[in-house]
Amino acid sequence: MADPFGFLKHARVENPTRPVSERITDWEELQTPLPEEERQEQAARCMNCGIPFCHTGSFYGGQRTVSGCPNDNLIPEWNDLVYQGRTQAAFERLARTNPLPEMTGRVCPAPCEKGCTEALNGSGVTIHDNERFIIDTAFENDWVKTSGMPQEATGFKVAIVGSGPAGLSAAWRLNQLGHQVTVYERSDRFGGLLMYGIPNMKLDKDVVQRRIDLMADIGVRFVGNTEIGRDISADELAAQYDRVILSTGASVPRDLKVPGRSLTGVQFAVDYLTEATKDVLKHGKEATSKKLAGKHVVVIGGGDTGNDCIGTAVRQGAASVRQLEITPQPPLQRTASNPWPEYPLTARTGYGQEEAAEVFQSQVTYHSVSTTAFIGAERGQLIALETVAVDDRFQPIAGSKEVIKADLVLLAMGFLGPETTLLDAFGVNEVYDDYTTNNERVLVAGDAKRGPSLVIWAIREGRLAAEKVDQALRTLVYQ
């Protein structure tokens, strides 16, 4: 490393987050990047630890938690290059493994930082922010387009169904390898959860569209408003292309089947976030709407999606926002059963929770609470929900029943897996670890294969599935 003592000279400084009072008045991104000189200081904190834990994803406790980068990003190398001011070289190292770093540099929870050796006795390197700096600089200098230009054309054609992070990653890599790529998307815009599942203040849609426009410019074909099985049959698609990659995500949300579920005002979180993003795309991100003025909102479920719902509801002028989680309150510090370098399973306050607490001056998140019923008015509109406190085994506690006023309930309890209709249409009933299936012409990648997971996992799987396709097609040439 250029400065092996950088971690002793410089304290960790993240990209500053705009004040709550400012950011809740618009849909602009939450963070303001550091100047280049300060970013170089942060990169200098990468300490030449000898055995880095940051750049290789490892599971601990079975599949419970992951440490390090699942995508095998060459983190120490590009940290050093950023420190030296060699940003283009840093981009070239970053782009070897990550085709979409502008996405992960904004939304990834950064298990790499938690597995950083420096995080053992201090605070990890700002890998997440360094990555964003590299890719944003690369776009400013037009390095990204050059890196994505296709090699010599192979003449093979590949269809990708789904334009989320796995689909875009696969499309970028296949195009780079010289194949003709067409991406099919049933929605009106491309990007999957990057476009509609993550709100604008967390991932600006101009950033997503910038990548899609660039991919189209260098040869990837995008076909929107097209559902396989409705607009084009699976057989037709298979006949037109040499290989098909299914990357439709894990789009089946977990439901809460209690009395009153059909009431107007009980909605899946992903549908709510999609509607909110469409409003922003239509009306602009400079000012917020007051769609929820006077409305009391309850979010059921935690994680990033629940936090995004809270932040969105605040910007839409909700009269109150409350979050209910069935799980117990996490510990404030690591427990003995959750040591470094595992991802810390500790209590965290998300940006949405921080905003709601400041705006409403009240508690936002309530743990160990289960919803038992939704209560409606005569015309079928939600007016409240009934809850009960639960113990550590999720059993109801006697005498803890409570009725909470609510005009809108958002179900943010995660996802169960992919829709199976498309898999069935292609005759896929076995999906293997190497992304292949029992149908030799069809591969599956991303959340559609592994279930709901991180964006970085989807990017990794899209890239590796693309390389698997490339290997198979090039083998055909010599047969």
Side-chain angles (χ1 to χ4, degrees), residues 364-405:
V364 177
T365 304
Y366 296 80
H367 287 272
S368 299
V369 177
S370 176
T371 300
T372 54
F374 299 113
I375 302 169
E378 291 182 0
R379 295 186 178 181
Q381 172 64 43
L382 174 77
I383 59 172
L385 65 160
E386 181 183 282
T387 68
V388 63
V390 295
D391 60 23
D392 290 348
R393 290 192 267 181
F394 309 119
Q395 297 303 307
I397 297 173
S400 62
K401 178 180 174 181
E402 183 180 1
V403 175
I404 301 171
K405 184 176 182 179

Side-chain angles (χ1 to χ4, degrees), residues 157-162 170 174 228 233-248 419-446 448-449 461 464-466 468-470 472-473 476:
K157 298 194 299 181
V158 181
I160 297 174
V161 184
L174 284 165
I228 309 305
S233 72
D235 289 341
E236 287 178 290
L237 202 70
Q240 293 175 27
Y241 295 91
D242 298 291
R243 289 293 186 276
V244 176
I245 297 177
L246 305 181
S247 55
T248 51
E419 299 172 29
T420 59
T421 306
L422 189 61
L423 297 173
D424 294 340
F426 283 97
V428 172
N429 51 49
E430 292 286 345
V431 180
Y432 308 118
D433 289 344
D434 64 353
Y435 315 103
T436 61
T437 71
N438 58 291
N439 182 339
E440 67 175 2
R441 296 171 64 85
V442 178
L443 292 84
V444 181
K449 167 180 168 285
E461 295 213 342
L464 295 182
K468 188 72 176 179
V469 166
D470 178 69
L473 293 179
L476 292 176

